[in-house]
Amino acid sequence: MPVLAKQDSIRIYGSMEVPGDKSISHRAVILGSISKGTTTIENFLDGEDCMRTVEAFRLMGVSIEKSGNTLQIDGKGKSGLQEPQEPIYFGNSGTTARLMLGLLASLPFSSFVYGDSSLAQRPMDRVIMPLREMGGKFIGRMETSYLPIALDGGNLHGITYNMPINSAQVKSAILLAGLGATGVTKVIENYPTRDHTENMLQAFGANINVMHNEIEVISNGELHGTEVYVPGDISSASFLLTAAAIIPGSCLVINNVGINKTRAGFLEVLEEMGASVTVLNKTVIGGELKGDIQVAYRSLRGITIEGEIIPRLIDEIPIIALLATQAEGKTIIRNAEELKVKETDRIQAVVEVLTTLGAQIQATKDGMVIEGKTQLIGGTVMSYHDHRIAMMAVIASLITEGNVIIDELSSISISYPNFMDDLNNIVHKV
Ligand code: S3P
């Protein structure tokens, strides 16, 4: 079991980049593969999850060349996709699963899809329900709530769907299905979720209208290949920025990070807790805002995190919980029940890891309450093969008195394969 040795006096500093955004990388592969013409993707995230999406399209006959972090897709349009000769494996990737179910439902052939043991326990009925309303035909266990699922694709019609949960994966599945449906497909959101699908559909020439919280697509034939630059993943950056925010004397700059408002709730939380946050060189590229983020240590205070910001920082909650253990006073996280259906039950996993490490933290029905500031201690923890739990435990080990022993770290390669090396480069002994 990996031992994360107790750190003597350290500071975090340096200037760096993090790998490309996971959500944007998935979408670029999907839209490039269903478009006509060449799509080039720069700064693609070469992590396990995104490679599942690449493999799915290779099984449908799409030529995708990879050279380092650049992908070149030779798109033949949707009509060029072939019926897969074998079941498609989605691995651990919820985004591949939900988005591909939407797309495959609209394609005129059969497909069989499955995932690993974690993905097989994550709900798929959230996409199956609206896709059935559109005319999609599926068979699966427990009323098609879980993978594996068999699809008999094609013949969809548009619907108007009022989203019962705040999920960009569900929204995107419906929009992708809508590209191949007759009539208008409209999704109405309650709170805004990440809008990368909408931005990228525009860049690939889809007929899409975004009106506040209503998004509609109308099928207009084939999309056209384009060039996509993937900004750094703010979810990956959040782990390293947290290290800088909780270790006195630290100052870290991460360049070229995606700071789309629907993703950047974490920066708002950092600022509200009192950290020093500066964003420079803001630029829009392919409809996505990016910038250079500098975070410096300052004493932190507890805050309440709830409501519309939750979907804008849902993946950052494990690391925000660690941040809160180093803030004076109470941090309350509410309306985050979606955490229970991520790669693992992240409310339970976060509370278990941080309790073992000496934090004052309680699980609630839809979040957690953390009382700070606490000196954390060493201990033996489980990551539940969840990349974000593993990375949170690694960052925690920088400030514990005593070693942290973790069952395994291999899940980190799902979203940030060079995480340990990148972290070692910014940790300096003083
Ligand atoms: C994602 C959306 C979020 C997020 C996941 C990636 C996406 O899930 O947690 O890591 O790329 O659309 P939900 O939309 O289900 O909340």
Side-chain angles (χ1 to χ4, degrees), residues 22-23 27 95 126 166-169 194 314-315 342:
K22 182 155 85 68
S23 296
R27 287 156 172 80
T95 306
R126 53 183 53 203
N166 303 306
S167 166
Q169 293 180 350
R194 62 193 70 195
I314 190 74
D315 291 342
K342 295 296 178 190

Side-chain angles (χ1 to χ4, degrees), residues 348-367:
Q348 181 266 325
V350 165
V351 170
E352 189 182 292
V353 168
L354 290 176
T355 302
T356 305
L357 300 182
Q360 304 294 313
I361 179 167
Q362 303 290 329
T364 61
K365 65 176 193 335
D366 63 350

Side-chain angles (χ1 to χ4, degrees), residues 21-24 26-27 94-95 98-99 122 126 165-172 193-194 196-197 235 263 311 314-315 338 342-343 346 387-388:
D21 187 276
K22 182 155 85 68
S23 296
I24 296 177
H26 280 298
R27 287 156 172 80
T95 306
R98 271 68 175 255
L99 272 58
R122 295 180 64 188
R126 53 183 53 203
I165 51 172
N166 303 306
S167 166
Q169 293 180 350
V170 175
K171 170 177 65 178
S172 303
T193 62
R194 62 193 70 195
H196 310 303
T197 304
S235 301
R263 286 290 295 288
I314 190 74
D315 291 342
E338 274 295 303
K342 295 296 178 190
E343 283 81 335
R346 285 189 176 152
H387 52 137
R388 302 202 198 279

Side-chain angles (χ1 to χ4, degrees), residues 207-392:
N207 194 353
I208 172 166
N209 299 311
V210 180
M211 301 146 291
H212 305 291
N213 63 334
E214 301 190 2
I215 306 115
E216 61 180 32
V217 286
I218 303 159
S219 173
N220 64 341
E222 300 279 16
L223 305 183
H224 304 290
T226 187
E227 283 174 17
V228 180
Y229 169 81
V230 183
D233 195 324
I234 192 163
S235 301
S236 300
S238 68
F239 294 96
L240 305 170
L241 295 173
T242 295
I246 60 178
I247 298 178
S250 299
C251 180
L252 179 67
V253 178
I254 309 188
N255 295 313
N256 284 320
V257 184
I259 48 169
N260 175 326
K261 179 132 175 66
T262 63
R263 286 290 295 288
F266 172 73
L267 297 181
E268 292 166 38
V269 161
L270 265 183
E271 274 194 309
E272 204 186 327
M273 283 184 145
S276 154
V277 182
T278 317
V279 182
L280 296 170
N281 300 321
K282 289 189 186 173
T283 347
V284 177
I285 177 158
E288 293 287 343
L289 186 63
K290 73 176 179 79
D292 303 335
I293 306 172
Q294 175 183 290
V295 169
Y297 174 83
R298 263 198 329 225
S299 57
L300 303 172
R301 56 182 171 270
I303 60 169
T304 296
I305 305 166
E306 62 185 347
E308 71 78 36
I309 199 170
I310 294 292
R312 300 193 293 114
L313 47 65
I314 190 74
D315 291 342
E316 288 65 78
I317 292 178
I319 196 66
I320 288 173
L322 173 65
L323 194 64
T325 69
Q326 302 309 302
E328 289 295 341
K330 196 177 273 193
T331 294
I332 303 171
I333 301 173
R334 292 197 191 101
N335 312 126
E337 50 279 275
E338 274 295 303
L339 290 177
K340 295 183 184 167
V341 290
K342 295 296 178 190
E343 283 81 335
T344 187
D345 175 344
R346 285 189 176 152
I347 295 182
Q348 181 266 325
V350 165
V351 170
E352 189 182 292
V353 168
L354 290 176
T355 302
T356 305
L357 300 182
Q360 304 294 313
I361 179 167
Q362 303 290 329
T364 61
K365 65 176 193 335
D366 63 350
M368 53 196 92
V369 178
I370 303 125
E371 193 79 54
K373 171 180 183 178
T374 316
Q375 170 60 59
L376 298 184
I377 54 173
T380 301
V381 298
M382 299 262 286
S383 64
Y384 296 95
H385 201 70
D386 181 327
H387 52 137
R388 302 202 198 279
I389 301 297
M391 286 189 275
M392 184 271 276

Side-chain angles (χ1 to χ4, degrees), residues 20-277:
D21 187 276
K22 182 155 85 68
S23 296
I24 296 177
S25 295
H26 280 298
R27 287 156 172 80
V29 173
I30 295 173
L31 296 193
S33 297
I34 63 174
S35 294
K36 272 216 153 107
T38 305
T39 288
T40 314
I41 309 174
E42 298 282 349
N43 203 33
F44 172 76
L45 169 62
D46 187 7
E48 273 175 42
D49 272 15
C50 295
M51 286 312 292
R52 295 293 166 207
T53 302
V54 169
E55 292 305 333
F57 285 102
R58 285 183 173 150
L59 274 183
M60 289 186 268
V62 180
S63 156
I64 306 178
E65 302 267 333
K66 185 167 166 305
S67 156
N69 291 329
T70 303
L71 291 193
Q72 184 156 318
I73 305 177
D74 181 16
K76 299 271 188 284
K78 261 209 274 194
S79 51
L81 296 174
Q82 295 158 17
E83 186 169 59
Q85 304 278 298
E86 48 185 279
I88 306 179
Y89 182 54
F90 294 149
N92 192 250
S93 179
T95 306
T96 312
R98 271 68 175 255
L99 272 58
M100 292 302 291
L101 281 167
L103 177 71
L104 290 168
S106 73
L107 297 173
F109 49 66
S110 307
S111 41
F112 301 84
V113 297
Y114 69 115
D116 72 4
S117 57
S118 152
L119 194 57
Q121 290 173 51
R122 295 180 64 188
M124 294 298 145
D125 45 349
R126 53 183 53 203
V127 289
I128 298 299
M129 269 169 359
L131 292 171
R132 273 207 173 115
E133 253 185 69
M134 296 177 80
K137 294 186 273 312
F138 308 89
I139 302 177
R141 65 195 177 95
M142 301 181 72
E143 295 172 358
T144 328
S145 296
Y146 298 99
L147 296 174
I149 290 173
L151 300 91
D152 177 13
N155 296 320
L156 300 189
H157 53 82
I159 56 166
T160 294
Y161 194 65
N162 275 292
M163 295 273 291
I165 51 172
N166 303 306
S167 166
Q169 293 180 350
V170 175
K171 170 177 65 178
S172 303
I174 298 168
L175 295 176
L176 289 171
L179 289 178
T182 56
V184 181
T185 301
K186 186 191 272 195
V187 177
I188 304 173
E189 288 197 292
N190 187 13
Y191 290 150
T193 62
R194 62 193 70 195
D195 60 1
H196 310 303
T197 304
E198 296 91 305
N199 295 339
M200 212 179 278
L201 278 170
Q202 264 153 15
F204 278 83
N207 194 353
I208 172 166
N209 299 311
V210 180
M211 301 146 291
H212 305 291
N213 63 334
E214 301 190 2
I215 306 115
E216 61 180 32
V217 286
I218 303 159
S219 173
N220 64 341
E222 300 279 16
L223 305 183
H224 304 290
T226 187
E227 283 174 17
V228 180
Y229 169 81
V230 183
D233 195 324
I234 192 163
S235 301
S236 300
S238 68
F239 294 96
L240 305 170
L241 295 173
T242 295
I246 60 178
I247 298 178
S250 299
C251 180
L252 179 67
V253 178
I254 309 188
N255 295 313
N256 284 320
V257 184
I259 48 169
N260 175 326
K261 179 132 175 66
T262 63
R263 286 290 295 288
F266 172 73
L267 297 181
E268 292 166 38
V269 161
L270 265 183
E271 274 194 309
E272 204 186 327
M273 283 184 145
S276 154
V277 182

